Amino acid sequence: MITTVTLNAAIDKTYFMKRVEMGKVLRVPSVIADAGGKGINAARVLKLLGCDVTATGFLGGHNGRFIAAELDKHSIKNDFVQVEEESRLALTIIDESTGRSTELIEPGPRIMEEQIDAMKCKIAELAARSRIVTFNGSLPSGVPADLYADLIGIAKNEGAIVFLDASGEALKLAVHAQPDLIKPNEDEAAGLFGERVGADEEVNWTAKLAAVSRLGIGCVIVSLGAKGAAVLWDGAAYRVHVPVIKAVNPVGSGDSFVAGLAAGIADGRSPEECLKLAAAAGSANALNERAGYVRLDEVANLKQQVRIERV
Ligand SMILES: Nc1ncnc2c1ncn2[C@@H]1O[C@H](COP(=O)(O)OP(=O)(O)OP(=O)(O)O)[C@@H](O)[C@H]1O
Ligand SMILES: [Mg+2]
């Protein structure tokens, strides 16, 4: 089994508007609402890829019930810690007249100490039954900044392979707990390395990845959107080249990349095969309007076109 952890789950709602004029009554002709948050996106893609997956994290209130119901609808096992306050709503408003999108993101529930303790027990319990545990996304308010480090330690102790897809301070503090794999994107990696890195400088990439890997992280991947990914995996450096596609919405492509990697590793495939599947899942996600959805035929087709180069 693969467990995905979303500590800051959300309803991802998108309004498609012909035109947005502030200060007016605006009628919304078309709405989509999905269960969201990075681990939930990854869980949806893992399910679509045919994996046995369980989603966990914190959920609260009506929004929390909507998220759980959505997961049930997709037959995704879910086992969340309940909290008192409402899970957040992340609203994207797309103005079709300008092509601009505006995001309104609620703060989400405040997490209490006993709920953090409950989460530690939940992670131990799920990790003991999981081959892979993946921690995805931001931390909710009220939790210590180093919570990921604690949870990673607990999951590793139970024998699970641990992935971390986080950013900022949460990522910086968590790498010291030695997750088995991290996958920042280019901006998140710049934050972790403490400087911007030139994506074209292969030598530079490998050196940067090696510095992080020396902390005791076997697989360090920086995803680079349309430019693919730079990878250092068990001492071997790779560059992943993805085909040129007509991207519709790349939000969730990183989550889909993580899902592809987990699916490949759980299936015992080689690093090259895992990276191909991951990149294909990331690119397939970008072909769709919704975050964390892929079509299997598109994944299979893109996988044929992804090229893995040893560098
Ligand atoms: N425009 C694109 N064209 C082709 N492939 C893409 C494109 N955008 C993303 N991908 C694929 O998805 C992977 C992850 O993308 P990216 O680096 O944008 O993730 P991210 O910023 O972490 O996304 P998110 O956090 O929203 O899920 C890339 O490595 C690539 O395989
Ligand atoms: Mg990401």
Side-chain angles (χ1 to χ4, degrees), residues 229-289:
V231 181
L232 187 64
W233 191 336
D234 288 338
Y238 306 88
R239 187 63 197 259
V240 179
H241 302 276
V242 295
V244 176
I245 58 164
K246 202 162 174 287
V248 175
N249 179 14
V251 174
S253 281
D255 310 335
S256 305
F257 187 105
V258 168
L261 267 175
I265 291 175
D267 209 26
R269 302 206 209 161
S270 68
E272 283 90 345
E273 275 293 304
C274 292
L275 291 170
K276 273 190 185 172
L277 180 58
S283 300
N285 173 80
L287 290 175
N288 298 295
E289 218 162 53

Side-chain angles (χ1 to χ4, degrees), residues 123-124 127-128 133 135 150-162:
I123 295 298
V133 176
F135 295 94
D150 274 359
L151 297 180
I152 288 167
I154 291 168
K156 283 183 69 169
N157 233 351
E158 297 295 337
I161 298 169
V162 175

Side-chain angles (χ1 to χ4, degrees), residues 4 10 12 33-51 53 55 67 70-71 74 76 252 255-256 259 285 290-294:
T4 76
D12 279 337
D34 282 315
K38 296 191 162 297
I40 288 175
N41 291 344
R44 196 161 41 230
V45 173
L46 280 161
K47 182 73 190 179
L48 289 167
L49 293 175
C51 297
V53 59
I67 292 167
E70 278 294 302
L71 292 169
H74 288 92
I76 296 166
D255 310 335
S256 305
N285 173 80
R290 301 170 101 123
Y293 283 90
V294 296

Side-chain angles (χ1 to χ4, degrees), residues 10-11 59-69 86-89 106:
I11 298 181
L59 284 186
H62 295 295
N63 289 348
R65 281 192 287 280
F66 173 88
I67 292 167
E86 195 76 25
S87 288
R88 65 198 174 129
L89 174 74
E106 294 181 1

